[in-house]
Each structure stands twice: as C-alpha cells, then as structure tokens.
Amino acid sequence: MRMFVVAAALVAGMAFGIAQAEDRGVEALNGTWTVDVEKTYEAVSKSPDFAGLPAEQKAMMEKEMKSQMAAMVVIIEESTITMKIEGNDESEQVMDFEVVSHEGDKWTIKTTDRRDEGEEPAEPDTVTIEWSDDDHMSMAKEGDPVAMFLVRKE
C-alpha cells in the first residue's frame, strides 16, 4: 500500500509539472533575466569555432566573455526584448518579438531589431526558447550552435 501511495504521489507530481509547462503563457517571459555565465561559457567553449583557437587566445577571450556576460541583462516586457550590458548605455539592443509556436517547454519566437528612422528594416531572426523551469531558460538563434542560458533576476 505504501508503495502505491508513493507511486501515486510521483505520478501526480509529474502530471502537475507537465500541466505547469503547458500552462506557461507568454507573460512568463516578462521580467529581468541575467546570463548563467558558467553554463553559457561552457556551451561557447564546446563550439567548433572556439575549440579551434589557440589556448592563449581562449584564455584571453574567456576572461572578457565572462565579464561581459556577468554584466548582461535581458529585459522582456510584453512584446519587447531589451539586451544590454549594465553600465554601458551604447550596448542596448531592442527587439520586438512574437511567439510563433510553443509546445510544452520549447517555444519558437521571431525577433526583429528595432532600427532608427530611415534605416533599412531588419530581417527577423528565429529564436528557440527552451524552459528548464519558471526561472531558467535558454535562447538560441536559428543557425547559431550556442545557446545563451538565462536565469530570472529576483
């Protein structure tokens, strides 16, 4: 009997987790996110482009990349994504986005960089979002072998 109760609790817990994933709406994206520096750097370091670099160059790039990633903030509000490096106003990149599809924890969005008046309109990018839980996700642009791992900032 005890085994049945434990099994029933596990199944109920898994069903609750699946229901939560399926119930996650676009508003779940809203908030301020920071880069999971170690996880993102690990993905970068495994990429073919990075793997072929000399060790001395890798070491120099690691320090610079980790510093920039640690200062990066991603702010998502309704249909806008703003990426910037804290303390560097010139680094701000603003994009409009729309959810194209989502199935459970895997979403596809289209992002379009905002341009200044008179500039050519930007071509949209396809981005895949994969949720780990409500406070952790990865974002990868189509064709880019490296995802950026994000953590919701509290």
Side-chain angles (χ1 to χ4, degrees), residues 52-117:
L53 295 175
E56 174 178 299
Q57 191 174 359
K58 285 181 189 177
M60 183 179 67
M61 288 180 70
E62 176 180 5
K63 183 178 178 185
E64 183 63 28
M65 289 172 70
K66 284 184 173 182
S67 172
Q68 285 188 1
M69 286 189 284
M72 184 178 283
V73 177
V74 179
I75 302 163
I76 304 176
E77 298 173 295
E78 295 182 27
S79 61
T80 304
I81 299 173
T82 303
M83 300 175 100
K84 63 183 179 180
I85 296 174
E86 290 182 326
N88 181 350
D89 293 336
E90 293 178 19
S91 69
E92 187 171 281
Q93 177 185 9
V94 180
M95 299 166 274
D96 295 310
F97 80 92
E98 66 176 310
V99 177
V100 176
S101 66
H102 66 85
E103 188 172 316
D105 288 334
K106 188 172 183 177
W107 295 23
T108 302
I109 65 172
K110 290 276 188 194
T111 63
T112 306
D113 286 347
R114 287 195 181 163
R115 300 292 173 113
D116 291 332
E117 203 171 306

